[in-house]
Amino acid sequence: MPAGFTHFPWVNPDAPKGGEITLYALGSFDSFNPYILRGTAAVGSGVLYDTLLKESSDEPSAEYGHLAGIVELPADKRGVTFELREGARWHDGRPITADDVVWSFNTLRQHGRPFYRAYWADVTEVVAETPRRVTFRFSTDQNRELSLILGQLAVLPKHWWEGRDFARPLLEPPLGSGPYRIERFEAGRSIAYRRVPDYWGRDLPTMKGTNNFDFMRYEYYRDATVSLEAFKAGQIEFRTENVARDWATGYDFPAVRRGWVKRDEIRHELPTGLQGFIMNERRPLFGDRRVREALGLVFDFEWMNANLFYNSYTRTSSYFSNSDFAARGLPEGREREILERFKDRLPPGVLAREFKLPATDGSGNNRDGARRALDLLREAGWTVRDRRLTNAQGQRFEFEILLNGPTFERVALPYIQSLQRLGIEARVRTVDPPQYQVRMDAFDYDMTVEVFGQSSSPGNEQRDFWTSAKADENGSRNTVGIKDPVVDEIVEMIVNAPSLPELTAACRALDRVLLWGFHSIPQWHSRTFRLAWWDKFGRPERNPKRALGLDSWWVDAAKERALAAARAAG
């Protein structure tokens, strides 16, 4: 965007303010603090606070001045200074200061989730130089994205938190500075946010045309199926659909046929990362790479896609899928040079063969995969005795698949049947989202479904995903428990990459090492958003390329009246 731009190009700067929208969430909540391990934070709580910079949803790795109106980079590249906008204030009228920024950063690193300690690890000091100027100093001049990602810091009110324990779950509506404040809530069941009419940043170029609803309400449901029925009944007004079966078969109801409910699929350019079954490698059962490869050989994606997903998904074959950072073909050029440095410590095949996931004919008769899996299991010391896979110590191969809702049971159960043919006894344990999160934070699981989301410019977050230092830190994103010095070194190459070509080569090298380590059983991805909504909303002419963009929608008063009249008559 040029200097002096007035609004982002995908918004309607003249969008009317007003009306309300009712959304849904799954599970429950017991806190308004999304930054700590303890408790389950209410959905939407990010709208309470402002960040130093605001991300552009139309560009890869671009942020624009938001709470900070000026950003200064020193010549030695070992720091960054943000100058806060004059007039930025909390909802109680007090100004937002550099002291708030310092307190927020130090508090998140000390008491927040482990992610923050990994993400901002190269910051050595943060200093309030004046009431509106704050400087971060770095330990290195090589971490090129650090200034950018510090702009994502949510600034919290130091004066409000004094006397409160930041590390404890909070059910008192906190003071914020953002476009919304909490209006009312019923713990675990619903929360409503009201737009702040005199919000200090409402006319900023980063905010113009957004946050148009006067009232946003989230209703909580324990089950995705129940939430769909609530949408059909009009209790929920907007829905993103993540279940392929429901998208194919669940939207043939009267309101759709009458035109009261609209649907759309919007193609996006977001990196899709990796979703898959992961094995907890802290458990001895999954410590052998051959065992992990064997478990992947009997996962029949082709059958599932045809019989469960209406052929709507693409198999994921990279931790950086749908981006230029995904490994492809044989390693060459700079990527190969990186891998050659570690050739004596790499799994067999990394340099010599293209990584390919097993594929079946979709018939459900995956004999070749089962045969190859049994060969690998035998090499790892497992044999079938009395139809049970057993090792030399008499231990049976059995484990639990932990899920946070019933949606994935229809995926896990066919997979369990495939495992049973190998003599493996697997079982499903489905718990509610809060209990699931507690167990994940404590690494208390055997196998589960995990999502490793990726940005348009991988960097410091990779430390939290993969490095040895994070494998035993509760609440980190290294949920697999990877402890591999090669991975650690390549991650640092990513963090300190001096150019885009170097970053691309390092990411492809990391991708290849992770894939050949068989740390996950990749599942699938979609390159579209599936949306359904009751026809009371207006929307801009186009969506941003890298986000859903719901914050730029608005209530169309004429449509709302027409819908209300039609429903009353119908």
Side-chain angles (χ1 to χ4, degrees):
M1 301 299 297
F5 77 99
T6 58
H7 58 84
F8 285 128
W10 64 88
V11 307
N12 173 8
D14 301 316
K17 307 289 187 184
E20 62 182 70
I21 184 171
T22 305
L23 305 159
Y24 77 98
L26 297 179
S28 66
F29 69 93
D30 60 7
S31 177
F32 298 131
N33 187 348
Y35 306 109
I36 59 174
L37 283 179
R38 297 178 60 185
T40 302
V43 67
S45 49
V47 299
L48 301 175
Y49 306 106
D50 287 301
T51 52
L52 293 170
L53 306 178
K54 189 170 179 64
E55 193 172 51
S56 168
S57 300
D58 231 26
E59 304 170 76
S61 303
E63 296 176 14
Y64 294 85
H66 184 62
L67 183 56
I70 295 174
V71 183
E72 297 176 0
L73 301 175
D76 65 3
K77 302 179 183 179
R78 297 178 73 95
V80 62
T81 297
F82 297 97
E83 184 172 311
L84 305 182
R85 294 184 188 272
E86 189 172 2
R89 65 182 185 273
W90 301 105
H91 292 158
D92 64 1
R94 294 180 60 165
I96 302 172
T97 68
D99 283 337
D100 291 316
V101 179
V102 172
W103 182 88
S104 300
F105 178 83
N106 289 333
T107 299
L108 289 174
R109 281 225 298 196
Q110 182 178 358
H111 300 294
R113 299 185 71 88
F115 170 80
Y116 299 109
R117 291 186 283 281
Y119 202 42
W120 296 322
D122 287 339
V123 176
T124 58
E125 185 182 26
V126 55
V127 177
E129 296 184 344
T130 72
R132 287 173 44 214
R133 283 176 62 87
V134 58
T135 294
F136 295 84
R137 298 191 175 101
F138 306 160
S139 62
T140 174
D141 61 0
Q142 300 300 307
N143 194 333
R144 291 163 61 92
E145 75 162 6
L146 191 52
S147 299
L148 184 78
I149 64 175
L150 281 167
Q152 299 164 6
L153 172 68
V155 180
L156 310 175
K158 177 183 177 181
H159 68 280
W160 189 87
W161 280 98
E162 288 177 344
R164 293 177 171 89
D165 186 352
F166 188 83
R168 294 177 62 86
L170 175 79
L171 263 182
E172 174 188 1
L175 176 68
S177 65
Y180 288 88
R181 59 161 56 98
I182 295 174
E183 173 83 359
R184 62 176 183 271
F185 69 94
E186 188 174 354
R189 300 189 65 180
S190 66
I191 183 170
Y193 299 90
R194 180 170 292 280
R195 188 170 61 85
V196 178
D198 61 346
Y199 167 52
W200 74 270
R202 62 188 179 278
D203 293 323
L204 292 177
T206 51
M207 299 300 287
K208 194 76 173 176
T210 68
N211 301 294
N212 301 314
F213 304 115
D214 275 352
F215 203 67
M216 291 193 304
R217 186 172 76 250
Y218 290 89
E219 297 291 339
Y220 274 79
Y221 298 90
R222 299 285 183 177
D223 184 274
T225 302
V226 177
S227 72
L228 177 57
E229 294 305 314
F231 175 78
K232 293 178 181 180
Q235 298 170 12
I236 304 299
E237 296 174 318
F238 177 92
R239 178 179 175 85
T240 56
E241 184 56 72
N242 298 318
V243 179
R245 176 194 59 187
D246 289 343
W247 187 247
T249 65
Y251 286 83
D252 183 18
F253 55 94
V256 173
R257 294 192 291 269
R258 293 169 179 163
W260 301 350
V261 167
K262 303 295 185 182
R263 297 202 300 163
D264 197 5
E265 286 194 60
I266 300 174
R267 195 164 181 85
H268 62 73
E269 297 180 10
L270 279 169
T272 47
L274 183 141
Q275 172 186 290
F277 284 121
I278 61 167
M279 295 148 276
N280 188 350
E281 294 177 22
R282 302 167 189 85
R283 304 276 203 261
L285 189 65
F286 303 113
D288 193 308
R289 174 178 167 275
R290 294 167 296 186
V291 168
R292 301 194 298 269
E293 181 180 1
L295 296 180
L297 285 168
V298 294
F299 180 76
D300 195 341
F301 166 76
E302 286 73 22
W303 180 88
M304 290 185 181
N305 200 30
N307 291 276
L308 302 180
F309 308 138
Y310 297 84
N311 287 313
S312 62
Y313 289 127
T314 300
R315 184 80 192 268
T316 300
S317 58
S318 167
Y319 286 85
F320 300 94
S321 61
N322 199 29
S323 79
D324 286 338
F325 304 112
R328 60 202 70 187
L330 289 171
E332 56 186 26
R334 178 58 181 150
E335 179 195 354
R336 188 172 188 89
E337 290 178 10
I338 293 172
L339 293 171
E340 288 279 4
R341 291 174 50 181
F342 309 106
K343 62 182 179 181
D344 295 336
R345 293 184 282 165
L346 294 176
V350 173
L351 287 164
R353 301 200 308 273
E354 178 182 0
F355 182 88
K356 289 187 176 181
L357 290 169
T360 71
D361 61 7
S363 67
N365 187 14
N366 185 15
R367 290 185 178 180
D368 183 58
R371 187 161 41 247
R372 291 162 58 200
L374 280 173
D375 289 341
L376 286 168
L377 290 166
R378 289 191 191 101
E379 289 178 20
W382 294 90
T383 56
V384 178
R385 302 176 189 171
D386 299 324
R387 303 181 67 181
R388 294 287 185 270
L389 197 65
T390 310
N391 64 13
Q393 292 73 41
Q395 175 191 6
R396 287 185 173 179
F397 201 119
E398 54 186 19
F399 62 89
E400 177 182 275
I401 302 176
L402 181 68
L403 301 176
N404 68 349
T407 299
F408 260 86
E409 290 178 0
R410 58 197 289 267
V411 176
L413 293 176
Y415 179 50
I416 285 174
Q417 291 179 347
S418 298
L419 293 171
Q420 287 173 343
R421 298 188 184 104
L422 303 178
I424 295 173
E425 182 179 344
R427 56 197 175 277
V428 169
R429 172 69 62 85
T430 302
V431 299
D432 60 33
Q435 184 180 352
Y436 178 83
Q437 190 60 56
V438 169
R439 290 188 60 174
M440 290 299 294
D441 287 340
F443 308 129
D444 181 18
Y445 72 94
D446 296 329
M447 178 182 283
T448 189
V449 177
E450 179 66 293
V451 177
F452 298 103
Q454 296 289 357
S455 73
S456 300
S457 179
N460 289 262
E461 74 286 344
Q462 305 300 313
R463 287 171 170 160
D464 201 38
F465 285 171
W466 319 117
T467 62
S468 303
K470 294 296 178 178
D472 296 322
E473 185 174 356
N474 282 8
S476 84
R477 290 298 310 277
N478 188 352
T479 44
V480 177
I482 296 172
K483 290 184 178 181
D484 184 342
V486 173
V487 169
D488 296 343
E489 291 186 49
I490 298 178
V491 165
E492 290 307 305
M493 292 182 188
I494 291 172
V495 171
N496 298 301
S499 64
L500 181 58
E502 188 72 15
L503 175 64
T504 302
C507 286
R508 290 179 179 178
L510 176 65
D511 192 26
R512 206 176 295 272
V513 171
L514 292 174
L515 290 169
W516 279 99
F518 298 101
H519 299 294
S520 69
I521 303 170
Q523 294 177 343
W524 51 81
H525 64 270
S526 172
R527 293 188 61 182
T528 62
F529 297 119
R530 305 187 192 109
L531 312 180
W533 66 94
W534 285 80
D535 190 21
K536 58 177 275 189
F537 302 110
R539 51 191 287 206
E541 293 182 1
R542 74 169 180 89
N543 269 66
K545 298 174 183 177
R546 298 171 182 269
L548 176 56
L550 180 61
D551 64 345
S552 62
W553 289 33
W554 63 90
V555 171
D556 184 311
K559 287 184 176 182
E560 186 176 36
R561 288 192 297 269
L563 177 62
R567 295 183 67 182

